[in-house]
Amino acid sequence: MSKSPHYCPETLALSAGFFSDQPTRVTTPDITMSVNHCFVPEEGSFSANGIENLADTPFLYAGWTNPTVRQLEQRIAALECTDDAYATTTGMAALSAMFFSLLRAGDHLIISDVCYAAVYELAREVLPDYGIEVTPVNLTDLAAVSRAIRPQTRLIHAESPCNPLLRLTDLTQLADLAKQHQVLLSVDSTFATPVITRPAVLGVDLVVHSLTKFINGHGDALGGCVTGNKALIAQIRSRAAAHLGSTISAQNAWLIMRGIETLYPRMKTISDSALQIAQWLENHPRVKQVNYPGLVSHPQYTLATEQMAYGGGMIVFQMDDMDDIAQRFAQEARLFYYAYSIGHQRSLVVLLKTADLMASTYRMTHEQAQEFRRYAGEGVFRLSIGLENPQDLIEELEQLLR
């Protein structure tokens, strides 16, 4: 349904799921705001056990699916080269939908030992309350992953690039290992977007995005999605849409579709700018270390060239006097907004201290903590590059990092 052999991804970003066949002959998707749809009883029935794919039923209730939301799902699935997608209120809702739909008491989950803080906390602090065992592993170490797999392991969850280190996971090798053990593999590809990496093509079963970030690209709508083969997405939708209430609103779905239409040129521009800025930072006398997948100095540069079309829009770097520099960003910057989140049209920056992350989120072994500090030292500034002219951003950095 979502895959098309006829169009390139740049074209699918504008056309997948959209047909101008309404009486008004619109050239951009409408928003269907109605919560309910009329139906003939025989057409609107669905199985009480929730196994039937709700996406195949007539539109009945917006909590299950909605015409505007369905267009968004079809477009994302087309860009990720998967059968189907389920769109949710947030990225965390997508991950929660996936975990609570696929895992049961007694199951075992392997997650990346470095990932988005809320995901790590959900996995380590909430899932065990429901009888799900969780093991954080450095997913760059395939031998460690292999040792961690148990007969009860049902899912391995990765991020690539991971937040905040920008460490990569070799998705092809990890997918091969997961298949050998008949374990599902999911990856949060928010930092990459389908413009840069299409994990399903590399063998990944489920791809998760926070649509709030680069895919929306305007900082004005929350959303998330999980995409994969039809059976897995139907299983997730039947539980999450019907029972967890995680389906995205039509308004936000429409806003995110608007963002997708410029996703390819945006990500190319952002990546080109980020590379220029990363190269400038690497040559700055006060900058101790820069992590950016597009730099030759990145520890996994070879993997990045194989797995990523561009280096992406995220940069992290280390400096001394972190607190002073953070104050300058917060009080003096005009172009860099000191704020959390990423992937907006405007550039964002925030200081992430290693000690704070260790105290609030990560529970690491000594070896894992050492690996974290190899990338992050005592803390990093995380830059999310926007659509400003890169020379203007560099000039501002020059003033702020003096």
Side-chain angles (χ1 to χ4, degrees), residues 121-199:
E121 291 162 3
L122 170 66
R124 294 302 304 272
E125 299 174 16
V126 178
L127 294 185
D129 291 344
Y130 295 87
I132 299 164
E133 295 187 74
V134 180
T135 303
V137 177
N138 180 350
L139 299 183
T140 67
D141 185 348
L142 290 179
V145 179
S146 186
R147 290 193 299 270
I149 294 175
R150 312 172 187 173
Q152 299 80 20
T153 305
R154 298 290 177 263
L155 177 67
I156 300 170
H157 179 66
E159 282 186 6
S160 190
C162 77
N163 185 5
L165 301 185
L166 302 186
R167 188 179 71 190
L168 309 182
T169 298
D170 189 324
L171 297 177
T172 300
Q173 290 193 14
L174 189 59
D176 289 344
L177 178 63
K179 285 178 172 56
Q180 290 172 24
H181 292 271
Q182 298 183 312
V183 174
L184 292 173
L185 173 62
S186 63
V187 61
D188 186 328
S189 195
T190 296
F191 277 23
T193 79
V195 177
I196 292 173
T197 306
R198 288 184 290 178

Coordinates of all heavy atoms in Angstrom, one line a residue, residues 121-199:
E121 N 14.5 5.9 31.0 CA 13.7 5.8 32.3 C 12.5 5.0 32.2 O 12.2 4.2 33.2 CB 13.4 7.3 32.8 CG 14.6 8.1 33.1 CD 14.4 9.6 33.1 OE1 13.3 10.0 32.9 OE2 15.4 10.3 33.4
L122 N 11.8 5.1 31.1 CA 10.6 4.2 30.9 C 11.0 2.7 31.0 O 10.4 1.9 31.6 CB 9.9 4.5 29.6 CG 8.9 3.5 29.1 CD1 7.6 3.6 30.0 CD2 8.5 3.8 27.6
A123 N 12.1 2.4 30.3 CA 12.6 1.0 30.2 C 13.1 0.5 31.6 O 12.8 -0.6 32.0 CB 13.6 0.9 29.1
R124 N 13.8 1.3 32.3 CA 14.5 0.9 33.5 C 13.6 1.0 34.7 O 13.7 0.3 35.7 CB 15.8 1.6 33.8 CG 16.9 1.3 32.7 CD 17.2 -0.1 32.6 NE 17.6 -0.7 33.9 CZ 18.9 -0.7 34.4 NH1 19.8 -0.1 33.7 NH2 19.2 -1.3 35.5
E125 N 12.7 2.0 34.7 CA 11.9 2.3 35.9 C 10.4 1.9 35.9 O 9.8 1.6 36.9 CB 12.0 3.8 36.3 CG 13.4 4.3 36.5 CD 13.5 5.8 36.7 OE1 12.4 6.4 36.9 OE2 14.6 6.3 36.6
V126 N 9.8 1.8 34.6 CA 8.4 1.5 34.5 C 8.2 0.1 34.0 O 7.4 -0.6 34.6 CB 7.7 2.5 33.6 CG1 6.3 2.2 33.4 CG2 7.9 4.0 34.1
L127 N 8.8 -0.3 33.0 CA 8.6 -1.6 32.4 C 8.8 -2.8 33.4 O 8.0 -3.7 33.4 CB 9.4 -1.9 31.2 CG 9.1 -1.0 29.9 CD1 10.0 -1.4 28.7 CD2 7.6 -1.0 29.6
P128 N 9.8 -2.7 34.3 CA 10.0 -3.8 35.3 C 8.8 -3.9 36.2 O 8.5 -5.0 36.7 CB 11.2 -3.4 36.0 CG 12.0 -2.6 35.0 CD 11.0 -1.8 34.3
D129 N 8.0 -2.8 36.4 CA 6.8 -2.9 37.3 C 5.8 -3.8 36.7 O 4.9 -4.3 37.4 CB 6.2 -1.5 37.4 CG 7.0 -0.6 38.3 OD1 7.9 -1.1 39.0 OD2 6.8 0.6 38.3
Y130 N 5.9 -4.1 35.3 CA 5.0 -5.0 34.7 C 5.6 -6.3 34.3 O 5.1 -7.0 33.5 CB 4.5 -4.3 33.4 CG 3.7 -3.0 33.6 CD1 4.3 -1.8 33.8 CD2 2.3 -3.1 33.8 CE1 3.6 -0.7 34.1 CE2 1.5 -1.9 34.0 CZ 2.2 -0.7 34.2 OH 1.5 0.4 34.5
G131 N 6.7 -6.6 35.0 CA 7.3 -7.9 34.9 C 8.2 -8.1 33.6 O 8.5 -9.2 33.3
I132 N 8.6 -7.0 33.0 CA 9.4 -7.0 31.8 C 10.8 -6.7 32.3 O 11.1 -5.7 32.9 CB 9.0 -6.0 30.8 CG1 7.5 -6.3 30.3 CG2 9.9 -6.0 29.6 CD1 6.9 -5.2 29.6
E133 N 11.8 -7.6 32.0 CA 13.2 -7.4 32.3 C 13.9 -6.6 31.2 O 13.6 -6.8 30.1 CB 13.9 -8.8 32.5 CG 13.3 -9.6 33.7 CD 14.1 -10.8 34.0 OE1 15.2 -10.7 34.5 OE2 13.7 -11.9 33.6
V134 N 14.8 -5.8 31.7 CA 15.4 -4.9 30.7 C 16.9 -4.9 31.0 O 17.4 -4.8 32.1 CB 14.9 -3.4 30.9 CG1 15.6 -2.5 29.9 CG2 13.4 -3.4 30.7
T135 N 17.7 -5.0 29.9 CA 19.2 -4.9 30.0 C 19.7 -3.8 29.1 O 19.5 -3.9 27.8 CB 19.8 -6.3 29.6 OG1 19.3 -7.3 30.4 CG2 21.3 -6.2 29.8
P136 N 20.4 -2.8 29.6 CA 21.0 -1.8 28.8 C 22.4 -2.3 28.3 O 23.2 -2.9 29.1 CB 21.2 -0.6 29.7 CG 20.5 -0.9 30.9 CD 20.4 -2.4 31.0
V137 N 22.6 -2.2 27.0 CA 23.9 -2.7 26.4 C 24.4 -1.7 25.4 O 23.6 -1.0 24.7 CB 23.6 -4.1 25.6 CG1 24.9 -4.6 25.0 CG2 23.0 -5.1 26.6
N138 N 25.7 -1.6 25.3 CA 26.4 -0.8 24.3 C 26.2 -1.6 23.0 O 26.8 -2.6 22.7 CB 27.8 -0.6 24.6 CG 28.6 0.2 23.5 OD1 28.0 0.5 22.5 ND2 29.8 0.6 23.8
L139 N 25.3 -1.1 22.1 CA 24.9 -1.8 20.9 C 26.0 -1.7 19.8 O 25.8 -2.4 18.8 CB 23.6 -1.3 20.4 CG 22.4 -1.5 21.4 CD1 21.1 -1.0 20.7 CD2 22.3 -2.9 21.8
T140 N 27.1 -1.0 20.1 CA 28.2 -1.0 19.1 C 29.0 -2.3 19.3 O 29.8 -2.7 18.5 CB 29.1 0.2 19.3 OG1 29.8 0.1 20.5 CG2 28.3 1.5 19.1
D141 N 28.8 -3.0 20.5 CA 29.6 -4.2 20.8 C 28.6 -5.4 20.6 O 27.9 -5.8 21.4 CB 30.0 -4.1 22.3 CG 30.9 -5.3 22.7 OD1 31.0 -6.3 22.0 OD2 31.4 -5.2 23.8
L142 N 28.7 -6.0 19.4 CA 27.8 -7.1 19.0 C 28.0 -8.3 19.9 O 27.1 -9.0 20.2 CB 28.0 -7.4 17.5 CG 27.5 -6.4 16.5 CD1 27.8 -6.9 15.1 CD2 26.0 -6.2 16.7
A143 N 29.3 -8.5 20.4 CA 29.5 -9.6 21.2 C 28.8 -9.4 22.6 O 28.2 -10.4 23.1 CB 31.0 -9.8 21.5
A144 N 28.7 -8.2 23.1 CA 28.0 -7.9 24.3 C 26.5 -8.1 24.1 O 25.8 -8.6 24.9 CB 28.3 -6.5 24.8
V145 N 26.0 -7.7 22.9 CA 24.6 -7.9 22.6 C 24.3 -9.4 22.6 O 23.3 -9.8 23.1 CB 24.2 -7.2 21.3 CG1 22.8 -7.5 20.9 CG2 24.5 -5.8 21.3
S146 N 25.1 -10.2 21.9 CA 24.9 -11.6 21.8 C 24.9 -12.3 23.2 O 24.0 -13.1 23.5 CB 26.0 -12.2 20.9 OG 25.7 -13.6 20.7
R147 N 25.8 -11.8 24.1 CA 25.8 -12.4 25.4 C 24.5 -12.0 26.2 O 24.1 -12.8 27.1 CB 27.0 -11.9 26.2 CG 28.3 -12.5 25.7 CD 29.5 -12.2 26.7 NE 29.7 -10.8 26.9 CZ 30.5 -10.0 26.1 NH1 31.2 -10.6 25.1 NH2 30.7 -8.7 26.4
A148 N 24.0 -10.8 25.9 CA 22.8 -10.4 26.6 C 21.5 -11.0 26.2 O 20.5 -11.0 26.9 CB 22.7 -8.9 26.5
I149 N 21.5 -11.6 25.0 CA 20.2 -12.2 24.5 C 19.9 -13.5 25.3 O 20.8 -14.3 25.5 CB 20.4 -12.5 23.0 CG1 20.5 -11.2 22.2 CG2 19.2 -13.3 22.5 CD1 20.7 -11.4 20.7
R150 N 18.7 -13.6 25.7 CA 18.2 -14.8 26.4 C 17.1 -15.4 25.6 O 16.5 -14.9 24.7 CB 17.6 -14.3 27.8 CG 18.5 -13.4 28.6 CD 17.7 -12.9 29.8 NE 18.4 -11.9 30.5 CZ 17.9 -11.2 31.6 NH1 16.7 -11.4 31.9 NH2 18.6 -10.3 32.2
P151 N 16.6 -16.6 26.1 CA 15.5 -17.2 25.4 C 14.2 -16.3 25.5 O 13.3 -16.4 24.7 CB 15.3 -18.5 26.2 CG 16.6 -18.9 26.7 CD 17.3 -17.5 27.0
Q152 N 14.1 -15.5 26.6 CA 13.0 -14.6 26.8 C 13.1 -13.3 26.1 O 12.2 -12.5 26.1 CB 12.8 -14.4 28.3 CG 12.5 -15.6 29.1 CD 13.8 -16.4 29.5 OE1 14.9 -15.8 29.4 NE2 13.6 -17.6 29.8
T153 N 14.2 -13.0 25.4 CA 14.4 -11.7 24.7 C 13.4 -11.6 23.5 O 13.4 -12.5 22.7 CB 15.8 -11.6 24.2 OG1 16.7 -11.7 25.4 CG2 16.0 -10.2 23.7
R154 N 12.6 -10.6 23.5 CA 11.7 -10.4 22.5 C 12.0 -9.2 21.6 O 11.6 -9.1 20.4 CB 10.3 -10.1 23.1 CG 9.7 -11.3 23.9 CD 9.4 -12.5 23.0 NE 9.0 -13.6 23.8 CZ 9.7 -14.6 24.1 NH1 11.0 -14.6 23.7 NH2 9.3 -15.6 24.9
L155 N 12.8 -8.2 22.1 CA 13.0 -7.0 21.3 C 14.3 -6.4 21.7 O 14.7 -6.4 22.9 CB 11.9 -6.0 21.7 CG 11.9 -4.6 21.0 CD1 11.8 -4.7 19.5 CD2 10.9 -3.7 21.6
I156 N 15.0 -5.9 20.7 CA 16.2 -5.0 20.9 C 15.9 -3.6 20.4 O 15.4 -3.5 19.3 CB 17.4 -5.6 20.2 CG1 17.8 -7.0 20.6 CG2 18.6 -4.6 20.3 CD1 18.9 -7.7 19.8
H157 N 16.1 -2.6 21.2 CA 15.8 -1.2 20.8 C 17.0 -0.4 20.8 O 17.7 -0.3 21.8 CB 14.7 -0.6 21.8 CG 14.4 0.8 21.4 ND1 13.8 1.1 20.2 CD2 14.7 2.0 22.0 CE1 13.6 2.4 20.1 NE2 14.2 3.0 21.2
A158 N 17.2 0.2 19.6 CA 18.4 1.0 19.4 C 18.1 2.5 19.1 O 16.9 2.8 18.8 CB 19.2 0.4 18.2
E159 N 19.1 3.3 19.1 CA 19.0 4.7 18.5 C 20.2 4.9 17.7 O 21.3 4.5 18.0 CB 19.0 5.8 19.6 CG 17.7 6.0 20.4 CD 17.8 7.2 21.3 OE1 18.9 7.9 21.3 OE2 16.9 7.4 22.1
S160 N 20.0 5.5 16.5 CA 21.2 5.8 15.6 C 20.9 7.0 14.7 O 20.0 6.9 13.9 CB 21.5 4.6 14.8 OG 22.8 4.7 14.2
P161 N 21.6 8.1 14.9 CA 22.6 8.4 16.0 C 21.9 8.5 17.4 O 20.7 8.9 17.4 CB 23.2 9.7 15.6 CG 22.9 9.9 14.2 CD 21.6 9.2 13.9
C162 N 22.6 8.1 18.4 CA 21.9 8.1 19.8 C 22.0 9.5 20.4 O 22.9 10.3 20.1 CB 22.5 7.1 20.6 SG 24.1 7.5 21.4
N163 N 21.1 9.8 21.2 CA 21.0 11.1 21.9 C 21.6 10.9 23.3 O 21.1 10.0 24.1 CB 19.5 11.4 22.0 CG 19.2 12.8 22.6 OD1 20.2 13.5 22.9 ND2 18.0 13.1 22.8
P164 N 22.6 11.6 23.8 CA 23.1 12.8 23.1 C 24.5 12.6 22.5 O 25.1 13.5 22.0 CB 23.3 13.8 24.3 CG 23.7 12.9 25.4 CD 23.0 11.6 25.2
L165 N 25.0 11.4 22.5 CA 26.4 11.2 22.1 C 26.7 11.2 20.6 O 27.8 11.4 20.2 CB 26.9 9.8 22.6 CG 26.9 9.6 24.1 CD1 27.5 8.3 24.5 CD2 27.6 10.7 24.9
L166 N 25.6 11.0 19.8 CA 25.8 10.8 18.3 C 26.6 9.6 18.0 O 27.3 9.6 17.0 CB 26.4 12.1 17.7 CG 25.6 13.4 17.9 CD1 26.2 14.5 17.1 CD2 24.1 13.2 17.6
R167 N 26.6 8.6 18.9 CA 27.2 7.3 18.6 C 26.2 6.6 17.7 O 25.0 6.7 17.8 CB 27.4 6.6 19.9 CG 28.2 5.3 19.8 CD 28.4 4.6 21.2 NE 27.1 4.1 21.6 CZ 26.9 3.6 22.9 NH1 27.9 3.7 23.8 NH2 25.7 3.1 23.2
L168 N 26.8 5.8 16.7 CA 26.0 5.1 15.8 C 25.9 3.6 16.1 O 26.7 3.1 16.8 CB 26.6 5.2 14.4 CG 27.0 6.6 13.9 CD1 27.5 6.5 12.5 CD2 25.8 7.5 13.9
T169 N 24.9 3.0 15.6 CA 24.7 1.5 15.7 C 24.8 1.0 14.3 O 24.1 1.5 13.4 CB 23.3 1.2 16.3 OG1 23.3 1.7 17.7 CG2 23.1 -0.3 16.4
D170 N 25.5 -0.1 14.1 CA 25.6 -0.7 12.8 C 24.3 -1.5 12.6 O 24.1 -2.7 13.1 CB 26.8 -1.7 12.7 CG 27.0 -2.2 11.3 OD1 26.0 -2.5 10.6 OD2 28.2 -2.4 10.9
L171 N 23.3 -0.9 12.0 CA 22.0 -1.5 11.9 C 21.9 -2.8 11.1 O 21.2 -3.7 11.5 CB 21.0 -0.5 11.3 CG 20.8 0.8 12.2 CD1 19.9 1.8 11.4 CD2 20.3 0.5 13.6
T172 N 22.7 -2.9 10.1 CA 22.7 -4.2 9.3 C 23.2 -5.3 10.1 O 22.6 -6.4 10.1 CB 23.6 -4.0 8.0 OG1 23.1 -2.9 7.2 CG2 23.6 -5.2 7.2
Q173 N 24.4 -5.1 10.8 CA 24.9 -6.2 11.6 C 24.0 -6.6 12.8 O 23.8 -7.7 13.1 CB 26.3 -5.8 12.1 CG 27.4 -5.8 11.0 CD 28.8 -5.7 11.6 OE1 29.0 -6.0 12.7 NE2 29.7 -5.4 10.7
L174 N 23.4 -5.5 13.4 CA 22.5 -5.8 14.5 C 21.3 -6.5 14.1 O 20.8 -7.4 14.8 CB 22.2 -4.5 15.3 CG 21.5 -4.6 16.6 CD1 22.3 -5.5 17.6 CD2 21.1 -3.3 17.2
A175 N 20.8 -6.1 12.9 CA 19.6 -6.8 12.4 C 19.9 -8.3 12.1 O 19.0 -9.1 12.3 CB 19.1 -6.1 11.1
D176 N 21.0 -8.5 11.5 CA 21.4 -9.9 11.2 C 21.5 -10.7 12.5 O 21.0 -11.9 12.6 CB 22.8 -10.0 10.5 CG 22.7 -9.5 9.1 OD1 21.6 -9.4 8.5 OD2 23.8 -9.2 8.5
L177 N 22.1 -10.2 13.6 CA 22.2 -10.9 14.8 C 20.8 -11.1 15.4 O 20.5 -12.2 15.9 CB 23.0 -10.0 15.8 CG 23.2 -10.6 17.2 CD1 23.9 -11.9 17.2 CD2 23.9 -9.6 18.1
A178 N 19.9 -10.1 15.4 CA 18.6 -10.2 15.9 C 17.8 -11.3 15.2 O 17.1 -12.2 15.8 CB 17.8 -8.9 15.8
K179 N 17.9 -11.4 13.9 CA 17.2 -12.4 13.1 C 17.7 -13.8 13.4 O 17.0 -14.8 13.5 CB 17.3 -12.1 11.6 CG 16.4 -11.0 11.2 CD 16.6 -10.7 9.7 CE 15.6 -9.7 9.2 NZ 15.6 -8.4 10.0
Q180 N 19.0 -13.9 13.7 CA 19.6 -15.2 14.1 C 18.9 -15.8 15.3 O 18.8 -17.0 15.5 CB 21.1 -15.1 14.3 CG 21.9 -14.9 13.0 CD 23.4 -14.6 13.4 OE1 23.9 -14.9 14.4 NE2 24.1 -13.9 12.5
H181 N 18.6 -14.9 16.2 CA 18.0 -15.3 17.5 C 16.4 -15.1 17.5 O 15.8 -15.3 18.6 CB 18.6 -14.4 18.6 CG 20.0 -14.7 18.9 ND1 20.4 -15.7 19.8 CD2 21.2 -14.2 18.4 CE1 21.7 -15.8 19.8 NE2 22.2 -14.9 19.0
Q182 N 15.9 -14.8 16.3 CA 14.4 -14.6 16.2 C 13.9 -13.5 17.2 O 12.9 -13.7 17.9 CB 13.7 -15.9 16.4 CG 14.0 -16.9 15.3 CD 13.2 -18.2 15.5 OE1 13.1 -18.8 16.6 NE2 12.7 -18.7 14.4
V183 N 14.7 -12.4 17.3 CA 14.3 -11.3 18.1 C 14.0 -10.1 17.2 O 14.7 -9.9 16.2 CB 15.5 -11.0 19.1 CG1 15.2 -9.7 19.8 CG2 15.8 -12.1 20.0
L184 N 13.0 -9.3 17.6 CA 12.6 -8.1 16.8 C 13.7 -7.0 17.1 O 14.2 -6.9 18.2 CB 11.2 -7.6 17.2 CG 10.1 -8.5 16.8 CD1 8.8 -8.0 17.4 CD2 9.9 -8.6 15.3
L185 N 13.9 -6.2 16.1 CA 14.8 -5.0 16.3 C 14.0 -3.8 15.9 O 13.4 -3.7 14.9 CB 16.0 -5.2 15.4 CG 17.0 -4.0 15.3 CD1 17.6 -3.7 16.7 CD2 18.1 -4.2 14.3
S186 N 14.0 -2.8 16.8 CA 13.5 -1.5 16.6 C 14.6 -0.5 16.7 O 15.6 -0.7 17.4 CB 12.4 -1.2 17.6 OG 12.8 -1.1 18.9
V187 N 14.4 0.7 16.0 CA 15.4 1.8 16.1 C 14.7 3.1 16.1 O 13.7 3.3 15.3 CB 16.4 1.7 15.0 CG1 15.8 1.9 13.6 CG2 17.5 2.8 15.2
D188 N 15.1 3.9 17.0 CA 14.6 5.3 17.0 C 15.5 6.1 16.0 O 16.7 6.3 16.3 CB 14.7 5.9 18.4 CG 14.1 7.3 18.5 OD1 14.2 8.0 17.5 OD2 13.6 7.7 19.6
S189 N 14.9 6.5 14.9 CA 15.7 7.2 13.9 C 15.4 8.7 13.8 O 15.5 9.3 12.7 CB 15.4 6.5 12.5 OG 16.3 6.8 11.5
T190 N 15.0 9.2 14.9 CA 14.6 10.6 15.0 C 15.7 11.6 14.5 O 15.4 12.5 13.7 CB 14.1 11.0 16.4 OG1 13.0 10.3 16.8 CG2 13.8 12.5 16.5
F191 N 16.9 11.3 14.9 CA 18.0 12.2 14.5 C 18.3 12.1 13.0 O 18.8 13.1 12.4 CB 19.3 11.9 15.3 CG 19.3 12.5 16.7 CD1 18.2 12.9 17.3 CD2 20.5 12.7 17.3 CE1 18.2 13.5 18.6 CE2 20.6 13.3 18.6 CZ 19.5 13.7 19.2
A192 N 18.1 10.9 12.5 CA 18.5 10.7 11.1 C 17.4 11.1 10.1 O 17.7 11.7 9.1 CB 18.8 9.2 10.9
T193 N 16.1 10.8 10.4 CA 15.0 10.9 9.5 C 15.2 10.0 8.3 O 16.4 9.5 8.0 CB 14.8 12.3 9.0 OG1 15.7 12.6 7.9 CG2 14.9 13.4 10.1
P194 N 14.2 9.7 7.5 CA 14.3 8.8 6.4 C 15.2 9.4 5.3 O 15.6 8.7 4.3 CB 12.9 8.6 5.9 CG 12.1 9.6 6.5 CD 12.7 10.0 7.8
V195 N 15.4 10.7 5.3 CA 16.3 11.4 4.4 C 17.7 10.8 4.5 O 18.4 10.7 3.5 CB 16.3 12.9 4.6 CG1 17.3 13.6 3.6 CG2 14.9 13.5 4.4
I196 N 18.1 10.5 5.7 CA 19.5 10.2 6.0 C 19.7 8.7 6.1 O 20.7 8.1 5.6 CB 20.0 10.9 7.2 CG1 20.1 12.4 6.9 CG2 21.3 10.4 7.7 CD1 20.4 13.3 8.1
T197 N 18.8 8.0 6.8 CA 18.9 6.5 6.9 C 17.5 6.0 6.8 O 16.5 6.5 7.4 CB 19.5 6.2 8.3 OG1 20.7 6.8 8.5 CG2 19.7 4.7 8.4
R198 N 17.4 4.8 6.1 CA 16.1 4.1 6.1 C 16.4 2.7 6.7 O 16.7 1.8 6.0 CB 15.6 4.0 4.7 CG 15.0 5.3 4.2 CD 14.4 5.3 2.8 NE 15.5 5.0 1.8 CZ 15.2 4.8 0.5 NH1 14.0 4.9 0.0 NH2 16.2 4.6 -0.4
P199 N 16.2 2.6 8.0 CA 16.5 1.4 8.7 C 15.9 0.1 8.2 O 16.5 -0.9 8.3 CB 16.1 1.7 10.2 CG 16.2 3.2 10.3 CD 15.7 3.7 8.9

